[in-house]
Amino acid sequence: MEAWIANWKKRGGEHDIAELKEGKALDKYFQERLNSLGKEAREFAYHLSVLLDPLSLDEYCRLVEITGGRVDPTGCQSLMKELEDHLIFGDRWWFRHEKIQSFIERQLHPDLRLKYHQAAAAFFEEKVNPNEGATFSDLRSLSLHYQAGEDWQKSLELNSRLANLALDT
C-alpha cells in the first residue's frame, strides 16, 4: 500500500474520489504493475494467483509444469525476482498484499482459472495424501481447488472431512 500511496502522490494525488471509493484507482495501479512485467513473469503470476499460501521454489516450478509449462529452478527464481522488482511479490516469495493477488486472479479468463485450479488440485494431490498425514491447511487448499476446479464430488467429500476435523478440535 505504501508504494501505491507514493505513486498516487507522485502523480499529484489526482484521482477522482468516486474512483478511490470503488477501488478503481488501486486496480489501475495493479494493472500498471502487471503490464510492466514480461510475458513469462505475468503468466507465472497468473498461475500463482489461485493459491492460498506460498510454496517453495521447486513447488512453484512443479505447479507450472502440471499445466503444461516448463520452467527450471533458475528460470523460476528469475521470474520470482521480476515479481519482486515490480512490487507484485514481497518477502517469502509471496504476493505483497492479498488485494493484488485477488486482482491478478480476477484478470484470468474463467477457462484459464478453472485450468489453474485443476492443476493446483493435481499438485496438492501429489504433495499430500489426503487420506493420511495431511494437515488441515493442506486439506483446505485441496478442497478449495477441487471446488474452484469443479470437481464437485471430491470437494464435497473433502469439505465433509474438514467439517468433522473442525468439530473434533
Side-chain angles (χ1 to χ4, degrees):
M1 293 308 277
E2 295 88 18
W4 179 79
I5 291 168
N7 189 36
W8 180 66
K9 286 179 180 176
K10 186 170 80 177
R11 294 178 177 194
E14 297 294 327
H15 288 292
D16 182 317
I17 295 298
E19 208 175 65
L20 288 170
K21 286 181 180 176
E22 294 172 19
K24 290 180 183 175
L26 196 53
D27 283 355
K28 283 182 183 179
Y29 177 64
F30 291 155
Q31 188 63 59
E32 288 172 8
R33 280 206 241 166
L34 196 56
N35 291 344
S36 72
L37 295 170
K39 183 180 182 208
E40 286 183 23
R42 192 170 35 254
E43 292 299 319
F44 195 64
Y46 287 138
H47 274 86
L48 306 186
S49 70
V50 302
L51 298 173
L52 292 177
D53 299 302
L55 302 173
S56 71
L57 188 63
D58 289 338
E59 289 171 327
Y60 284 136
C61 291
R62 179 64 189 133
L63 179 63
V64 172
E65 284 177 2
I66 289 173
T67 58
R70 290 280 178 243
V71 60
D72 61 56
T74 304
C76 193
Q77 193 161 12
S78 84
L79 293 173
M80 297 296 254
K81 173 91 171 86
E82 187 173 347
L83 292 175
E84 287 176 5
D85 291 348
H86 291 262
L87 304 176
I88 304 286
F89 269 31
D91 59 350
R92 297 185 331 123
W93 287 346
W94 194 236
F95 292 93
R96 289 179 64 89
H97 196 279
E98 66 186 34
K99 286 187 180 288
I100 194 162
Q101 179 183 7
S102 173
F103 173 81
I104 292 171
E105 185 179 6
R106 287 192 322 264
Q107 305 314 300
L108 289 172
H109 184 278
D111 292 341
L112 200 50
R113 185 179 304 113
L114 178 72
K115 177 182 175 181
Y116 288 170
H117 277 291
Q118 290 169 339
F123 168 80
F124 281 103
E125 284 176 342
E126 272 183 13
K127 182 181 174 192
V128 300
N129 179 346
N131 296 316
E132 63 180 66
T135 66
F136 189 88
S137 179
D138 289 334
L139 294 175
R140 178 183 60 107
S141 290
L142 189 51
S143 172
L144 169 108
H145 297 302
Y146 283 148
Q147 183 175 346
E150 298 182 1
D151 190 333
W152 309 118
Q153 184 61 40
K154 286 183 179 179
S155 177
L156 178 63
E157 291 168 8
L158 202 49
N159 278 313
S160 295
R161 277 191 54 209
L162 284 165
N164 288 334
L165 282 172
L167 291 172
D168 289 346
T169 57

